Amino acid sequence: MNLLDIRNLSIELKTKTGVILAIDRVSLTMKEGEVRGLVGESGSGKSILAQAIMGVLDDRWQVHADRFHWRNIDLLSLTHQQQKDIISQDVAMIFQEPMACLDPSTTVGEQLEEAVPDHQLTGFFWQKNKQRKLAVINLLHKVGIKNHTKCYRSYPHQLTEAFCQRVMIAIALAKKPLLLIADEPTAAMETTNQGQIFRLLASLNQLKNMSILLISHDLENVTHWTNNITVMYSGQFVEAGTTEQIFNTPYHPYTQALLESSPKANIELPPKSRLTTLPGSIPVLQHLPIGCRLGPRCPRAQKICVQAPKTTNYHGHQVNCHYPLKEIY
Amino acid sequence: MLMFTLRRLSLFFFTMVLLSMLTFSLRYFFPGDMLINLSGQINANTAELKQLAIDYKIHESIFSQYWQYLTNIFHGNLGLSMASQLPISTEISTLLPATIELSIIALTIAMVMGIPLGFIAAIYHRKKIDNIILTFAIVGHSFPVFWLGLLVILIFSIQLAWFPSAGDISLLFEIPQQTGFLFIDILLSNSPYKWQAFNSALAHIFLPASVVALAPATVFIRLARTSMMEVLETSYIQAAKTKGLSFIQIIYHHAIRNALIKMIRHIGLQFANLITFVMITEVIFSWPGIGRWLIVSIGQRDYTAIQNGLLVLSIFIFVVHIFTDFIYAALNPLAREHNHGS
Ligand code: SF4
């Protein structure tokens, strides 16, 4: 069963000078127990998309979609508050810079406690406090924090970033989510800590069958941990497929460029020569190209690319391009 | 926390030393005979003047003069008021509590009015309520305090006769002075008309306290509004939203405390301003406080009073500063252990 089924979701940003189409018809599906990577450069709108799913965008942003289903419930037919209630029951989110995401003036324990939903506590109200504490200690153990008393009493600034991220994951786990959205959970962390966080997420995925939407700018890193990958560029859908499809046979010029720009793909390159990259940089929101937004930078662009391409599906491998690189494999 | 306390205490100590040096140096700037200015004995004859010169060590080095000055302060020996010929220390001990009472009550009114209004404005940012509150804040801020004082006397005391316009309690009540703080004295006294006296004191303090409170309240509105807006933009509020907490929960559990932390030190800084308003208001409402006394003394060229009144008021303001620092540290875990900065 599809957990999440989004078809052609667009997000508009209302500014003083007019309306900007920040996300242009992006589709995304999540199955139960799936780990999906959502990859794109910074500014490609991946965090906005995640926030739109969580329903926490403020009223400057306008979200439209052809379909927005959560476990076969049509969210579009509900009010905003109902959407939020349903989503926040089953979907949790963790962020980059976990320390900044914890209230600096409250202890970690208190913040964990308030994340434990009331309906998980059985018993009478005088027992609830104790149960809450127990639940919190359990959560801390689940994310691999053994010294729970010390952690419980600490303030966020007394912990390291990686530790804070574990706490954030514990907070996310409190409501036993079906889907965890991890927005660059390891940005600005040391490599060993990164590995630990990813392993923790992977084990949670396997033990609890929790789906994970892993948002990252690093395509190569993500491939180690995901089953499927969706690539975005400048607010447009680029390509989606299994990790193997994306990594071994990218159909879209952008995905190919992403892979080629990584040092691993350039292993035969002589030392000190430049890595292959696309010319130019990601366009700013105020000056988006019409049609395919990769157009100005795309090596394969032709006249027709000023019209937005339609998504084509090759055995579950979806590409959004007029001239996919299908023939070369 | 211990380190924090020690640091604050050492700051207090050194500021006091500097302050005493400053007030000490004032003696060289006042016109007239220095000895008379210091002691306030305007009618002293030659023999007495000689004795005073010895007492104040006027012919010795500047260091022993300073030391004598400090000793005098600690012994409460501040000289006589040139105008009334009463000891300055007794005058101050009766006048200062009235000023403390007025300023603390005004500060409380300003905070209770200003901070919640500012928070509400921030929560309804860019909505009508925000605009209304902001307009009120700007209009309120531009009222000159002396004019406002006269205005409320005209309206509430003379036209409507709701509140008395002068003094701190009706003359009918005789309250023995124990602490100097009128409200505490009333409660301590065993007069049968205790509660009537209390009501009368309340009615007397209401107008001056509100007049003093208006300008600081408008500053608090704007401070509270900006700090709340900043807090609402932070990642932890965004993260709390995805936790599934309701907006009210977020405001109560996370936003208010952090916004208060951001503004508490500004409240301390605002206090010095508030004292100036208190001084002006005391004159208008004939409040028997130290501010009025000081202004009157300036008019009468009462140099003894000016010197010591300034010292006492500055100490009071500084104590309040240190006090807000402690509140800040109690609210903010980060401040308690930072060894550097702040
Ligand atoms: S649609 Fe055209 S411009 Fe866009 S990626 Fe494909 S070839 Fe390049």
Side-chain angles (χ1 to χ4, degrees):
Chain A
M1 182 176 79
N2 278 343
L3 267 187
L4 183 68
D5 190 357
I6 298 175
R7 200 65 59 82
N8 291 341
L9 178 108
S10 303
I11 303 177
E12 285 169 345
L13 172 63
K14 281 186 276 180
T15 61
K16 285 199 190 90
T17 49
V19 177
I20 293 171
L21 191 61
I23 303 274
D24 183 16
R25 290 173 293 115
V26 172
S27 306
L28 186 76
T29 47
M30 293 284 304
K31 292 195 177 56
E32 252 171 52
E34 173 187 358
V35 182
R36 179 177 283 274
L38 182 60
V39 180
E41 288 170 75
S42 46
S44 60
K46 48 198 188 335
S47 297
I48 298 294
L49 179 62
Q51 285 174 27
I53 296 173
M54 293 299 296
V56 291
L57 289 175
D58 56 36
D59 40 10
R60 279 175 303 168
W61 303 84
Q62 194 97 47
V63 182
H64 313 279
D66 289 352
R67 185 195 304 182
F68 193 162
H69 282 193
W70 171 254
R71 305 181 76 198
N72 294 339
I73 306 170
D74 184 7
L75 292 182
L76 290 175
S77 63
L78 304 175
T79 65
H80 186 71
Q81 191 55 41
Q82 285 170 321
Q83 285 177 18
K84 236 169 122 173
D85 290 344
I86 290 178
I87 287 287
S88 71
Q89 217 171 58
D90 293 329
V91 187
M93 188 161 174
I94 58 175
F95 303 86
Q96 45 185 330
E97 295 178 350
M99 199 181 289
C101 294
L102 289 166
D103 182 345
S105 64
T106 316
T107 58
V108 166
E110 276 174 63
Q111 300 189 45
L112 273 158
E113 272 181 22
E114 80 182 1
V116 178
D118 283 327
H119 61 79
Q120 278 183 20
L121 308 172
T122 54
F124 300 103
F125 65 89
W126 63 85
Q127 298 169 320
K128 282 208 167 146
N129 254 335
K130 208 164 165 204
Q131 282 187 335
R132 219 172 257 275
K133 277 224 165 90
L134 268 179
V136 167
I137 290 170
N138 256 331
L139 285 172
L140 286 175
H141 286 174
K142 266 184 210 157
V143 295
I145 296 175
K146 295 198 187 68
N147 194 347
H148 54 255
T149 25
K150 193 163 170 220
C151 180
Y152 198 90
R153 285 200 214 111
S154 304
Y155 287 98
H157 68 273
Q158 295 166 323
L159 308 172
T160 64
E161 283 280 354
F163 219 89
C164 283
Q165 193 58 282
R166 279 171 192 268
V167 172
M168 285 302 289
I169 296 175
I171 288 177
L173 289 182
K175 56 185 171 196
K176 306 209 164 85
L178 298 169
L179 170 64
L180 177 71
I181 301 179
D183 188 356
E184 308 242 12
T186 59
M189 258 185 227
E190 291 161 35
T191 334
T192 43
N193 292 334
Q194 279 190 12
Q196 284 176 357
I197 296 290
F198 277 130
R199 269 194 295 281
L200 173 64
L201 289 178
S203 74
L204 289 171
N205 166 249
Q206 269 150 23
L207 296 175
K208 304 246 161 15
N209 200 31
M210 181 178 75
S211 310
I212 297 176
L213 181 64
L214 191 60
I215 300 178
S216 174
H217 62 275
D218 186 351
L219 180 55
E220 203 185 303
N221 197 354
V222 157
T223 50
H224 301 308
W225 308 102
T226 54
N227 317 119
N228 300 301
I229 289 180
T230 299
V231 184
M232 280 176 70
Y233 175 80
S234 188
Q236 276 182 336
F237 172 71
V238 166
E239 187 172 10
T242 64
T243 306
E244 288 77 33
Q245 284 170 337
I246 299 285
F247 195 65
N248 299 331
T249 57
Y251 284 174
H252 197 283
Y254 179 68
T255 320
Q256 199 194 28
L258 261 190
L259 286 168
E260 273 177 4
S261 68
S262 74
K264 231 181 229 157
N266 293 291
I267 211 107
E268 307 95 51
L269 233 58
K272 294 204 178 171
S273 55
R274 283 176 172 273
L275 299 176
T276 37
T277 51
L278 286 182
S281 59
I282 192 162
V284 290
L285 271 183
Q286 287 80 7
H287 302 286
L288 292 171
I290 53 163
C292 175
R293 290 180 181 175
L294 189 65
R297 300 173 69 190
C298 179
R300 292 168 69 87
Q302 315 246 346
K303 210 173 177 181
I304 195 170
C305 295
V306 292
Q307 279 154 21
K310 284 221 168 59
T311 305
T312 13
N313 194 339
Y314 305 98
H315 308 291
H317 189 164
Q318 293 158 319
V319 195
N320 197 32
C321 177
H322 287 299
Y323 303 102
L325 298 153
K326 201 169 170 311
E327 328 78 63
I328 63 171
Y329 301 110
Chain B
M1 195 66 197
L2 181 72
M3 272 312 288
F4 181 84
T5 315
L6 286 180
R7 289 161 57 88
R8 291 301 122 163
L9 287 183
S10 76
L11 178 69
F12 182 70
F13 176 74
F14 284 108
T15 317
M16 282 304 120
V17 170
L18 273 177
L19 190 64
S20 66
M21 284 182 188
L22 200 80
T23 47
F24 173 73
S25 69
L26 278 181
R27 65 172 64 180
Y28 298 105
F29 301 125
F30 287 141
D33 187 286
M34 190 204 289
L35 268 179
I36 293 178
N37 284 349
L38 284 176
S39 63
Q41 304 195 9
I42 30 179
N43 302 319
N45 54 30
T46 337
E48 280 169 337
L49 273 179
K50 254 194 193 127
Q51 184 55 40
L52 282 175
I54 295 168
D55 284 350
Y56 284 94
K57 304 211 164 124
I58 224 70
H59 299 302
E60 294 179 34
S61 74
I62 195 164
F63 294 107
S64 46
Q65 279 185 44
Y66 177 60
W67 188 248
Q68 186 58 42
Y69 174 67
L70 288 187
T71 336
N72 279 346
I73 291 178
F74 277 108
H75 290 155
N77 179 10
L78 304 176
L80 303 178
S81 158
M82 290 162 86
S84 67
Q85 289 296 300
L86 288 170
I88 299 275
S89 45
T90 45
E91 294 227 347
I92 285 180
S93 64
T94 54
L95 296 173
L96 185 63
T99 298
I100 295 182
E101 241 166 9
L102 179 59
S103 52
I104 296 288
I105 289 181
L107 184 69
T108 320
I109 295 179
M111 291 204 302
V112 170
M113 294 286 298
I115 298 176
L117 277 181
F119 286 168
I120 291 171
I123 290 166
Y124 295 99
H125 182 43
R126 295 208 189 121
K127 305 243 167 70
K128 246 207 191 96
I129 303 180
D130 183 23
N131 291 336
I132 293 171
I133 293 177
L134 211 59
T135 318
F136 168 73
I138 289 168
V139 171
H141 191 70
S142 12
F143 270 93
V145 68
F146 63 89
W147 185 66
L148 183 70
L150 294 175
L151 205 66
V152 295
I153 289 183
L154 270 180
I155 296 173
F156 294 104
S157 307
I158 296 173
Q159 290 282 325
L160 299 169
W162 287 353
F163 297 100
S165 67
D168 57 353
I169 191 163
S170 164
L171 295 171
L172 294 172
F173 300 102
E174 204 169 293
I175 302 298
Q177 194 183 7
Q178 298 183 42
T179 57
F181 294 96
L182 186 63
F183 284 102
I184 301 178
D185 282 348
I186 290 174
L187 293 180
L188 288 177
S189 74
N190 36 23
S191 131
Y193 303 110
K194 204 155 129 177
W195 294 110
Q196 283 93 323
F198 196 81
N199 280 339
S200 159
L202 267 185
H204 275 84
I205 206 166
F206 182 77
L207 281 188
S210 316
V211 168
V212 174
L214 180 70
T218 57
V219 176
F220 293 161
I221 287 179
R222 283 186 291 171
L223 275 175
R225 182 171 167 271
T226 32
S227 50
M228 182 55 112
M229 272 174 3
E230 273 171 35
V231 166
L232 288 180
E233 289 289 307
T234 54
S235 325
Y236 54 86
I237 297 295
Q238 300 299 328
K241 278 187 199 162
T242 64
K243 248 196 234 179
L245 298 181
S246 70
F247 191 64
I248 295 175
Q249 272 175 314
I250 291 175
I251 296 288
Y252 270 112
H253 293 311
H254 300 292
I256 286 187
R257 186 184 174 129
N258 286 296
L260 277 181
I261 288 174
K262 271 185 195 281
M263 63 176 297
I264 193 104
R265 300 190 124 179
H266 295 283
I267 293 182
L269 290 178
Q270 206 53 43
F271 194 73
N273 256 341
L274 187 131
I275 290 295
T276 28
F277 293 140
V278 167
M279 289 170 69
I280 299 166
T281 314
E282 279 180 1
V283 175
I284 296 170
F285 286 88
S286 322
W287 189 261
I290 200 164
R292 185 171 72 113
W293 179 71
L294 200 57
I295 291 179
V296 171
S297 306
I298 292 173
Q300 295 173 329
R301 308 276 186 279
D302 184 345
Y303 297 117
T304 341
I306 296 173
Q307 220 178 31
N308 293 298
L310 282 182
L311 181 70
V312 169
L313 266 188
S314 331
I315 292 178
F316 174 48
I317 290 174
F318 196 68
V319 167
V320 171
H321 270 221
I322 296 272
F323 189 66
T324 46
D325 262 4
F326 274 101
I327 299 180
Y328 175 72
L331 281 173
N332 187 1
L334 274 165
R336 288 202 283 270
E337 34 196 278
H338 257 251
N339 291 322
H340 306 286
S342 71

